[in-house]
Each structure stands twice: as C-alpha cells, then as structure tokens.
Amino acid sequence: MLDKLKDFLSHFFVTGEPMIYGADVAILLTLAGIIFVLTYLKKWKWLWREWLTTVDHKKIGIMYMLSSLLMLFRGGVDALLMRMQLAFPQWHFLDSNHYNEIFTTHGTIMILFMAMPLMFAFFNIVVPLQIGARDVAYPFLNAVSFWLFFFGAMLFNLSFVIGGSPDAGWLSYPPLSGMQFSPGPGQDFYIWGIQISGIGSLASGINFIMTILKMRAPGMKLMHMPLFTWSVLASCIIIIFAFPVLTVTLALLFIDRFFDGHLFTMTGGGNPMMYINLIWMWGHPEVYIVVLPAFGIFSEIVATFSQKKIFGYKSMVFSMMIISVLSYFTWVHHFFTMGAGANVNVFFAITTMAIGIPTGVKVFNWLFTMFRGRIQMTQPMLWTIAFIPCFVVGGATGVMLSAAPADYQYHNSYFLVAHFHQVLIGGVVFGFFAGLYYWWPKMFGFKLDDRLGKWAFWTWNIGFYVCFMPQYALGFMGMTRRIYTYDFDMGWGPLNVISTVGAFFMGIGFIFQAWQILHGIKYGERDVTGDPWNGRTLEWSIPSPPPHYNFAVIPTVTGQDAWWTIKKERKKKKAKETATFSPIHMPKNSGIPFIMSVFWFIAGFGLTFHWVWMAIFGLTGVGACLLARSFQYNSDYYIPVDEIRHTEDSVGRVG
Amino acid sequence: MHISKLIILSVFITIFLAGCDSRYLILNPQGAVAQKEYQLIIFSIILCTIVVIPVLGLLVYIVLRYRDKPGNKALYRPDWDDSKRLEFIWWGIPIIIIGILGFATAKTTYDLVDPPKKDVKPLTIEVTSLDWKWLFQYPDQDIATVNYVEIPKGVPVQFVLTSDAPMNSFWVPQLGGQLYTMPGMAMGLWLQADHKGEYFGSGANFTGEGFAHMNFKVKSTSTKEFNQWVKQVKETSPALTKADYSNLAQQGLSLEKSYSTIPKGLFQEIVIKNGGQYYSQHHHMKNEDMKIMNVASEKQVHAQHEHQEGGN
C-alpha cells in the first residue's frame, strides 16, 4: 500500500530536478506568505468583496494586468534559462527533456497567458472610458472571462510541479503530441489550460464587440471613435472567428489522446496536416489579435504626444479592417515546406506579402502624425518611437520570409525565431509597455518615475538588438530552432553568447520596471487633474483613478478627439458648467464567476489526469453555478444622487 | 545614448562582415537549387531595403526636427491630418514592390518543382526520418546508409521523404531548402550539388528528446568516386534486414552506418504502415514517384492477403 502511494506520488509530482524542488519550496513559501499576510491584516473579506467578486471592468482590467506581468516574469525566466543553455556549444546546464518543456511553456505562456491578458487588461481599463460608457455590455460575463483565463493559466502552470510540463512545442503538432510519443499528463495540461482560458477569451471578444457597438456615448459615431477602440473592434472580430477554431482543434486532439481517435494520424484515415492547418487558422490571426490593439495604443500615444490630430484617420481604420480580413488568408505561410504544391504556396506567399501593405501604411501615418507636431519625449512616446524601427525591420524580414522558396531556407531556423520575436516584442510588448506607461496614471492615480523608466527603456532596447540581431545571422548559419545543444564545429558559439547577454539585458530591463512600480507606489507623482498628458480622448475627462461609475454625467460627443474638443470649448466659454446628476444603474458583484471557474479548474485537472470522476464532479459544479446564476434576479442597483455628489466632491469635481 | 548606438553598430558590423564567412551556409549555396533560393533572398533584401532605409531616415529627421523644445521654429500645424497625395504614395509604392516580389516568388516557386537539370538522369534517394536518426535508401543502387549520404556532383537528386516517427524536416542548407517528412506520406524534393564537398544536413522540425542530434553529412563526389563508393559499400557492409530496421526504428541515437542491400519495398512498406493507403492523391509528386507508390499499395494488398492466408 505504502509502495503504491509512493509510486503514485513520484509520478504525480515532478521529481528528480533540483531546480523544481527549489520551485516547490518557493511556491509553498509564497502561498504561506500570502495566507499569513491576508490573515494577519484581516483582509480576507476585503479580498472577496473588492476583488474576487467584482464586476467592475477597471478592477478586472487591473487583475488581468497583474496576472499577465506575473506570467511575463515566468516566461522571461524560461527564456533566460534557454539562453543560458544555448550560450555555449555542448553546454550541460539543462538536459534535452527539461529544455523542451521550457521552450514549450515559454511560447505558450508568452502568447496566451502574457500577451492576451495584457491586451484584455487594456480592453477592460480603456475601452469603456474611451467611449464614454459606465461599464462593458456584459459585466458578469466579463468577470467569468477573467476567472476562466486565470484558472486556465493556473492549470497550465501547475504542470511545472505536478505531472510534468508539456514538451511538444507551443502548438503541439501531432503525431508528436499524441499518446504514442507524448504519454503522461503534460499535453493534457496544455489542452485544458488553453481550452479553459480560451472560452474566456471568446466571451471577451463578444463582450467588447457589443460594448463598442452598443454602449458609446450619445453622438459618438463609428467614425468618431478613438483609434484604440477601433483596434479593439478589429481585434475582437478576429477573436470571435479564430478562437472557436482553436477550441475545436484542441478538442479533437483530446479525442485522439483520450478516446484513441485517429483524427490526426494517417493510420485510420486521419491526417496530421489537418491539425497543422487548423491550429494555424487560429494561430496566424492570433498574431493580429494581439498586435492590432498595440497599433491602437501607438495611435493614441503618437497623437497625444505630438500634440496633433492623428494623420489619416480613415486610412488607419481602413487598414485595420483589411488586416482583420487578410489575416485569415495567410496561415499556410507557416508551412510552405509541407509540400502543398506550387499553386498553394504562391497564393499564400502573395497574400502574406499583401498584409505588409496596410501595415506599412500605418507606419507612414504615425510618422506624419509626428511631422509638423511638437513631440514630447515622455515614457510612452519613447517606446512608440523605439517601436517604429524595430517593427519596420521585423516587417521587412517578414516579407523576406513570405517569399516561399526563400522560406524553404528560413523555415524552422533562427532567422524565423529572430523575426517573430522582433515583431512580437517590437510590436506587441513595446506597444503594451507604452500603453502601461500611458494609462498608468489613469489606473492608479500616480505616474511612474521617469529616470527608472529611461533605464528600463534603454536596457530593454539595447538588450533586444543584442539578443535578436545575432539570431538572424545564426539562421543564415543553418541553426535550427528548438535544439538544446550544438557542436563546436558549426561556429554558432560566439553569436549565441552575444544573444544570451542581450537576453539578460532585457531581464534587467524588467527588473527596472518592477522597481519602477514599487517606487511609484511610494513616491510616484500623484495625478490630481485626471488629465496628466493633456489627452484627447474621453478617459482623460474623468478623475484618476476613475470612480466606479466612471462618468457622473455621460458626455455628449460631437466628433473625433472628444475630450480635446470639450476642452477647447470650455476655454472659449470660460464658465464652469453645472451638472445635474441622476441615479446611476450599476451591476451588483457576484461570487459565481469565481466559483464557477474553480469548478472548471477541477474539471480540467480531472481531464488532465484522465480521472473521470473528478471531471464529472467539476463539470457538475459548473452546471450548478450556471443554474444558480439563472435564478439570480436581484443583480443590479442604483447609486443615489447624494452618493454621486459626495464621490465627485471628494475627487475635487464640483457637482 | 551613443554607447548604445555603438553596440548596435558593432553587432551589425560583426554580422555583415561575418556574412562573408563560409559558415553562413545559406549565403554560400553549393548547388543549383540553393542558388535560386539565394538569389531570391538577396532580391527580397534589396526590395525591402528600398522601403526600410527611407522610413528610418524619415523617422530620425522627424523626431529631431519636431521635438517639443523651447525655441523650436519648425512648422507646427496641430490640425493638419490629411493629404490624399501622400497617402496615395504610401499605398502605391508598397503595392508595386509587393507586386514585383510576388512575381519573382511565383517564378522561383514554379522553377523549383522541376529537376534543376533535365538532360541528366536523376538519382533517387529515399529518406526516412526516425527517432532520432536518418535512414537513406538508394533503390537503384540497392544500398542504404544512416546519418550519411553520398551523392555525385552535377546530378539532380530526388529525395523522396517520409517519416516513421513524428514529422521532421529534411534540410541541407547549402544544397537547397527543406521539406517536411511526414508519416504515411512520401514527398519529393529536388536537390543538387554543383561541386565536390561535404555539407551539413539536419532535421529542422522538432521531434522530441534526441532532436538536437539529428544531423547528417552529405558528401558530394565525382560520379566515378560515387560508383566506387557504392561498390565499396556493397562489398564491405552488412545487409539491412527487416530486423535491423526494427532496431533502427527504436527511439535512440545512431552512428553513421551503411548497408550493402535493402529489403525489397522497405520504403513503401514504411509509408503504407503509417497510413499511406489513405493518402492516394499525390498531387505534388512526379509520375515516377506515383509509380513507386502504386507498386507499393499493390504489394501491400498482396502482403495482407498472404498474411491472412498464413493466419488461416
């Protein structure tokens, strides 16, 4: 009996790796620390009332942001471990198995659990404020989305210490990811971690489309919307078409693994190519899902800090819409080397190149927004300016990759690795950083320190080029991705050392940013105006941080740059308007999204270990939560006028 | 700030000067196929530079000229947000450039479907990616090798690729681009070496634990030397038996090996075993390979019959 238990535990927990034991200890200590602090300060109730049950889009956005920064840390540590291992030829820092797990989790986490939630953070925090709304269209669903993402991410991360991490690459191609070549729970963690959080992403996509279409302030026509809101709309349109594909693909993979199906093996009439087609039908649009909002962020920032209207607004909107359609016609460029034949390759080569056109147009529009403006070198603007050369070069290498016969040489090489890191870091990460610095005062009511910010900026940027430029060269030298070691005689050593040094520079950049946040909490310059940057859009018209009903009085919009216009008019009139308040209708907090997601987690855990009883228990819990919600009639309330007046007074606004 | 620029500059210089180094395999093509791909690479770099350089120049100029400094006399027009003429230029130029590159891409793509030389009888080599090694069979010479290929220079070689393990990708950068090896499918890739020499080949698609060690050598020699080598292999190496193959197909690494004969139809059997019978439409293969596969499926059917009869 005891032996049986021992055997089970040694499989259940990941054993045999000193680093993992270290992680076990760290996780237990952190958990104990959190529990102790919450108990000591008697904050459990506060945590439940203010955060776990909240349906306030701003708080949900902040939770998205914090979890995503945490995931950035984890994915970043993964990256540094990999770079350490690759620094020298025949270096024994990690073994093959461990390395494979690390690059798989690095990719998955960075895209799905870092970039996506950080993007949703901006959706949540900014969109309702920019369109003059008091909430999103479905606040309860919004909370469900967040908690599904959160518990999906937790499930995925758990594989690190329980059961073993997935190790078949971030897109898990079969047959490698099938039962035959990947027994054990790793791949199932992958499937269910992504599946659960994916449902949340799809719901968010629907939620924000509805929010943008239905909840805009009176007078705000579609062509009056801020470009960030436009980019969110474009991105959400892609989400609602792409994520169902992912859900189905992973479900089919699970059928192969759990029910011994043959959907993705040739024996039995399936086809692995089908999986690769399906996963990239999601995977390529996914790239545009995360990069379009970054484009939106840059558009806001470049206009604000050039103190000028955005150049070519219509062109910008048009190009984003084209991208959202074209993004569905490029997926095959991820496997030009799969022998699809010349006609198919030529078609997808040209559609891929074509997407470079609307993207390039945006760069020119940003440049000409700065042209004849007055450029203020604030932190958000620094990241925006750094983004342009980085993204232009990354885009150019993307066009190079899209020439199919040339891709036969680049495919799966470090050239490719360098390219997608350049567009994803240069485009998405720089964009989201720019957005964080830009909206930080709005979220928290204080600015982040400039000096530390500049250190972070330069270490990140220098680190980036030092890390990834050598990788283009390594690609030309024939180095393939995902190898954990290489021989001396290839001559790949020196460039790999340089690349590793660069990666550590970026790590230092991240430390500066963490420091900047801690520093800001204590010493940060408080924003009492609500409009620290002299902004142009409606989010800057309300106090920072905004009261939970956002707008005491919903503004009326007459054109683009609504807040800019209002400010100009006020200057002319010089008189203060007196507002008349009316009671505000708001949704009530609810614990159901949190509890339901816990049940999803339990179900996912059961399915991962193929423990059917546990999966049934979890899914029953999910059903019970849905049922409970359908009987919840008392789910909203009105904020009385007195309370609004009181809140507005306390933030220095006269009612 | 200037330190950072210096670092970036030095990195670029290292990379570009190093480009002349023969270890930059892709930039040192040694065969007709790789040469065509190399030309397209260079052409695409030039076309991209036409856009990238002006944009970077423009960025530097604009940022320096329009900074918000006291005393900056540059024109400031906060409401100027539209110019049809400018937008026409930057929608137009990329369309033209993409058009040119698209045309070049299409041309090269179609070129690579055919053998690089049509007046020479091509050599066929059947490649199987295993966990974690490469098996090469020479059907016409009736020999086989592991993790090592020898080819005559100046002769187009059709590599027929499959896998008896997770899918991989067959890549010899100096001879030409890669193609996936997939279980149950056989796909053709033309390569050719124009000079004598030894070239680095590797599996480019991740296949698990031993993936990093899936490298192989390609040696190109004169036709005479090649024939001598074949003869030598026939004389000195053991025969490959089905049992040897099953051992080879087990997970694990392998040294270079050679075999004097191969069991008849082994390659076809591998393809069929992994579901090749379900994959009848070989639209991307030449007629010759179609023949291979048709023979194979007939054989398979025959073998199944025999098996059943034996069972009875």
Side-chain angles (χ1 to χ4, degrees):
Chain A
M1 179 68 194
L2 200 64
D3 277 351
K4 251 189 182 168
L5 190 68
K6 241 179 163 175
D7 189 52
F8 167 75
L9 287 179
S10 72
H11 279 98
F12 188 69
F13 292 105
V14 176
T15 49
E17 288 266 3
M19 271 197 279
I20 301 235
Y21 290 132
D24 287 335
V25 174
I27 289 170
L28 286 177
L29 284 179
T30 315
L31 273 180
I34 292 170
I35 292 171
F36 175 76
V37 169
L38 284 173
T39 314
Y40 185 78
L41 296 175
K42 299 196 174 117
K43 287 285 189 187
W44 284 106
K45 224 176 194 171
W46 165 83
L47 183 71
W48 178 256
R49 284 218 178 129
E50 294 290 316
W51 294 95
L52 303 187
T53 60
T54 189
V55 290
D56 180 349
H57 65 95
K58 298 174 293 290
K59 281 186 177 163
I60 289 174
I62 287 168
M63 290 193 288
Y64 264 122
M65 188 193 74
L66 292 178
S67 353
S68 131
L69 290 180
L70 219 60
M71 288 293 104
L72 177 61
F73 174 74
R74 194 212 147 163
V77 172
D78 280 350
L80 294 183
L81 288 173
M82 281 191 280
R83 280 317 318 169
M84 285 274 277
Q85 165 60 24
L86 288 176
F88 307 104
Q90 291 178 354
W91 178 242
H92 296 288
F93 173 65
L94 302 173
D95 63 26
S96 170
N97 217 9
H98 199 181
Y99 184 85
N100 299 344
E101 293 182 352
I102 288 179
F103 76 66
T104 301
T105 51
H106 168 77
T108 315
I109 284 177
M110 285 304 204
I111 295 285
L112 285 156
F113 301 130
M114 188 283 281
M116 287 293 282
L118 199 49
M119 176 186 86
F120 286 135
F122 290 118
F123 285 18
N124 270 290
I125 293 161
V126 182
V127 169
L129 302 184
Q130 271 198 336
I131 60 173
R134 290 200 166 113
D135 211 327
V136 295
Y138 311 112
F140 177 87
L141 184 67
N142 200 21
V144 172
S145 290
F146 170 74
W147 289 111
L148 284 179
F149 145 73
F150 183 83
F151 282 104
M154 285 297 111
L155 184 64
F156 185 84
N157 274 278
L158 204 62
S159 65
F160 177 39
V161 288
I162 291 180
S165 296
D167 60 356
W170 84 281
L171 286 180
S172 273
Y173 286 0
L176 183 61
S177 60
M179 238 356 173
Q180 189 192 350
F181 296 103
S182 296
Q187 285 312 315
D188 297 307
F189 268 118
Y190 171 91
I191 291 171
W192 290 103
I194 296 178
Q195 203 66 301
I196 291 171
S197 73
I199 303 168
S201 301
L202 179 59
S204 278
I206 296 167
N207 208 338
F208 280 91
I209 288 186
M210 292 317 286
T211 306
I212 292 169
L213 292 182
K214 288 286 180 196
M215 314 255 308
R216 276 166 295 144
M220 186 182 271
K221 294 180 185 154
L222 281 177
M223 290 310 270
H224 292 160
M225 289 196 315
L227 278 175
F228 177 71
T229 302
W230 261 115
S231 72
V232 174
L233 184 62
S235 170
C236 287
I237 291 173
I238 310 183
I239 288 177
I240 61 166
F241 286 103
F243 269 80
V245 181
L246 176 68
T247 305
V248 168
T249 313
L250 292 177
L252 295 180
L253 184 62
F254 188 70
I255 289 173
D256 263 16
R257 288 179 60 83
F258 188 71
F259 298 105
D260 197 18
H262 286 276
L263 294 153
F264 299 131
T265 50
M266 295 286 279
T267 44
N271 195 332
M273 278 164 79
M274 185 58 85
Y275 180 89
I276 297 168
N277 273 292
L278 283 171
I279 197 89
W280 280 116
M281 272 180 215
W282 160 77
H284 195 81
E286 165 67 18
V287 177
Y288 294 98
I289 291 174
V290 290
V291 84
L292 280 171
F295 290 166
I297 292 172
F298 291 128
S299 305
E300 298 296 330
I301 289 173
V302 98
T304 303
F305 296 109
S306 302
Q307 306 182 63
K308 189 164 162 269
K309 247 175 134 171
I310 189 83
F311 191 89
Y313 177 89
K314 279 184 194 158
S315 210
M316 289 296 231
V317 171
F318 182 59
S319 63
M320 283 194 284
M321 287 295 140
I322 294 194
I323 289 174
S324 73
V325 174
L326 268 185
S327 69
Y328 280 97
F329 294 91
T330 59
W331 83 88
V332 173
H333 73 227
H334 294 271
F335 41 91
F336 280 144
T337 63
M338 208 161 67
N343 291 334
V344 174
N345 279 2
V346 165
F347 175 81
F348 282 96
I350 290 171
T351 49
T352 303
M353 290 171 192
I355 212 163
I357 299 168
T359 315
V361 164
K362 305 178 81 61
V363 173
F364 284 105
N365 279 324
W366 289 316
L367 281 176
F368 278 77
T369 304
M370 291 191 258
F371 184 71
R372 294 182 181 164
R374 278 291 176 272
I375 305 168
Q376 301 169 311
M377 288 293 178
T378 54
Q379 291 181 71
M381 194 60 186
L382 274 180
W383 288 94
T384 306
I385 291 173
F387 145 80
I388 291 178
C390 195
F391 194 75
V392 165
V393 173
T397 55
V399 170
M400 285 169 68
L401 274 157
S402 67
D407 182 70
Y408 302 161
Q409 289 284 28
Y410 306 130
H411 187 66
N412 276 337
S413 78
Y414 261 76
F415 188 92
L416 169 79
V417 174
H419 158 75
F420 70 70
H421 280 95
Q422 185 153 21
V423 284
L424 284 174
I425 294 181
V428 179
V429 177
F430 283 16
F432 290 176
F433 282 169
L436 278 182
Y437 288 111
Y438 184 58
W439 283 302
W440 193 274
K442 184 49 60 190
M443 285 185 249
F444 298 105
F446 63 87
K447 278 190 184 178
L448 291 168
D449 186 61
D450 239 14
R451 216 167 61 93
L452 286 171
K454 284 201 171 127
W455 276 98
F457 174 79
W458 285 109
T459 38
W460 259 103
N461 271 273
I462 295 170
F464 173 82
Y465 288 100
V466 175
C467 183
F468 291 106
M469 293 303 115
Q471 293 188 8
Y472 282 116
L474 283 167
F476 282 127
M477 296 177 89
M479 181 163 162
T480 41
R481 70 197 291 203
R482 291 170 176 170
I483 50 171
Y484 79 104
T485 191
Y486 50 90
D487 286 336
F488 282 95
D489 54 0
M490 298 309 297
W492 299 339
L495 287 172
N496 271 308
V497 177
I498 296 173
S499 180
T500 302
V501 171
F504 274 88
F505 262 83
M506 288 193 272
I508 295 168
F510 181 78
I511 293 173
F512 273 118
Q513 290 177 311
W515 181 6
Q516 209 184 355
I517 292 174
L518 295 177
H519 177 276
I521 291 172
K522 218 165 172 193
Y523 309 106
E525 182 194 330
R526 304 290 134 174
D527 167 34
V528 288
T529 61
D531 186 12
W533 312 116
N534 193 12
R536 313 178 72 84
T537 39
L538 284 175
E539 73 268 34
W540 305 109
S541 68
I542 50 175
S544 323
H548 71 284
Y549 49 77
N550 299 347
F551 296 88
V553 176
I554 297 286
T556 307
V557 177
T558 51
Q560 260 176 58
D561 291 342
W563 174 231
W564 190 257
T565 322
I566 296 174
K567 277 194 282 193
K568 262 208 291 202
E569 274 170 13
R570 279 194 191 164
K571 241 185 210 166
K572 266 188 226 158
K573 284 190 204 157
K574 282 187 185 170
K576 276 204 170 130
E577 289 169 55
T578 42
T580 39
F581 299 131
S582 43
I584 296 173
H585 181 223
M586 296 297 281
K588 268 187 185 166
N589 285 359
S590 167
I592 291 177
F594 181 84
I595 297 167
M596 186 166 88
S597 304
V598 170
F599 278 118
W600 265 113
F601 178 87
I602 294 169
F605 194 82
L607 287 165
T608 295
F609 281 91
H610 297 189
W611 297 339
V612 178
W613 60 270
M614 197 188 218
I616 291 175
F617 171 73
L619 291 172
T620 314
V622 172
C625 284
L626 289 172
L627 203 65
R629 173 64 182 175
S630 70
F631 287 107
Q632 222 174 29
Y633 297 112
N634 183 17
S635 62
D636 52 356
Y637 71 110
Y638 278 91
I639 308 177
V641 173
D642 282 348
E643 197 187 321
I644 303 167
R645 188 163 290 130
H646 180 75
T647 313
E648 290 292 300
D649 275 344
S650 70
V651 290
R653 307 259 160 157
V654 191
Chain B
M1 181 160 162
H2 55 271
I3 300 171
S4 62
K5 278 186 184 161
L6 211 67
I7 295 171
I8 293 170
L9 192 70
S10 57
V11 171
F12 271 115
I13 289 174
T14 326
I15 293 166
F16 283 118
L17 285 184
C20 313
D21 192 320
S22 62
R23 283 181 308 193
Y24 283 75
L25 306 177
I26 293 171
L27 304 177
N28 283 281
Q30 297 295 320
V33 176
Q35 183 66 33
K36 271 201 185 120
E37 287 161 354
Y38 171 73
Q39 278 159 358
L40 185 65
I41 289 171
I42 298 299
F43 186 62
S44 67
I45 291 177
I46 294 169
L47 281 179
C48 286
T49 319
I50 293 176
V51 179
V52 170
I53 300 287
V55 170
L56 296 186
L58 208 57
L59 174 70
V60 172
Y61 168 76
I62 290 174
V63 169
L64 291 178
R65 177 112 174 90
Y66 295 98
R67 277 193 72 163
D68 191 19
K69 281 181 300 198
N72 186 349
K73 292 203 179 65
L75 193 58
Y76 174 45
R77 292 179 61 190
D79 290 321
W80 180 67
D81 70 340
D82 189 34
S83 159
K84 287 284 165 293
R85 190 184 302 166
L86 282 172
E87 295 221 44
F88 188 76
I89 293 174
W90 61 64
W91 277 96
I93 292 178
I95 290 177
I96 294 169
I97 288 181
I98 296 299
I100 297 170
L101 184 61
F103 179 76
T105 300
K107 196 174 166 302
T108 314
T109 309
Y110 287 112
D111 277 357
L112 292 181
V113 175
D114 298 320
K117 257 191 206 171
K118 294 202 172 113
D119 49 347
V120 183
K121 188 179 175 289
L123 174 72
T124 302
I125 298 179
E126 296 162 338
V127 182
T128 311
S129 65
L130 298 167
D131 264 344
W132 294 287
K133 56 197 89 65
W134 292 92
L135 172 68
F136 300 96
Q137 302 180 54
Y138 294 68
D140 296 331
Q141 284 72 20
D142 191 29
I143 58 167
T145 55
V146 173
N147 288 344
Y148 169 79
V149 213
E150 191 153 328
I151 54 171
K153 77 175 170 83
V155 176
V157 183
Q158 177 158 51
F159 289 93
V160 184
L161 311 170
T162 192
S163 175
D164 198 6
M167 61 183 271
N168 207 311
S169 189
F170 175 82
W171 189 27
V172 189
Q174 286 190 286
L175 301 186
Q178 59 192 291
L179 197 68
Y180 279 149
T181 63
M182 288 186 282
M185 304 182 211
M187 298 199 292
L189 173 70
W190 288 108
L191 294 180
Q192 180 184 307
D194 290 341
H195 311 280
K196 281 193 193 181
E198 238 178 48
Y199 308 112
F200 170 77
S202 71
N205 191 60
F206 179 65
T207 52
E209 213 179 323
F211 165 67
H213 302 289
M214 283 188 71
N215 303 329
F216 54 90
K217 246 191 300 186
V218 180
K219 190 176 173 192
S220 98
T221 56
S222 67
T223 310
K224 206 176 126 194
E225 284 167 313
F226 173 75
N227 290 334
Q228 268 168 2
W229 171 76
V230 171
K231 213 173 131 198
Q232 193 207 334
V233 169
K234 285 213 141 325
E235 279 162 8
T236 59
S237 302
L240 176 66
T241 62
K242 291 246 168 115
D244 289 336
Y245 177 75
S246 333
N247 283 332
L248 210 54
Q250 303 283 319
Q251 278 195 344
L253 304 178
S254 169
L255 298 170
E256 285 176 13
K257 282 179 187 163
S258 53
Y259 298 99
S260 58
T261 60
I262 39 181
K264 269 233 149 34
L266 174 62
F267 183 79
Q268 289 75 10
E269 245 172 63
I270 295 168
V271 177
I272 298 296
K273 174 180 90 176
N274 289 303
Q277 73 268 32
Y278 298 106
Y279 191 65
S280 55
Q281 276 161 4
H282 280 264
H283 48 275
H284 46 260
M285 282 186 63
K286 296 270 133 194
N287 291 338
E288 211 172 316
D289 312 311
M290 283 295 291
K291 257 184 272 158
I292 299 180
M293 297 315 302
N294 287 339
V295 171
S297 14
E298 274 163 33
K299 258 196 199 131
Q300 177 69 15
V301 173
H302 189 66
Q304 272 171 356
H305 277 296
E306 263 176 23
H307 183 75
Q308 278 164 0
E309 278 160 26
N312 294 339

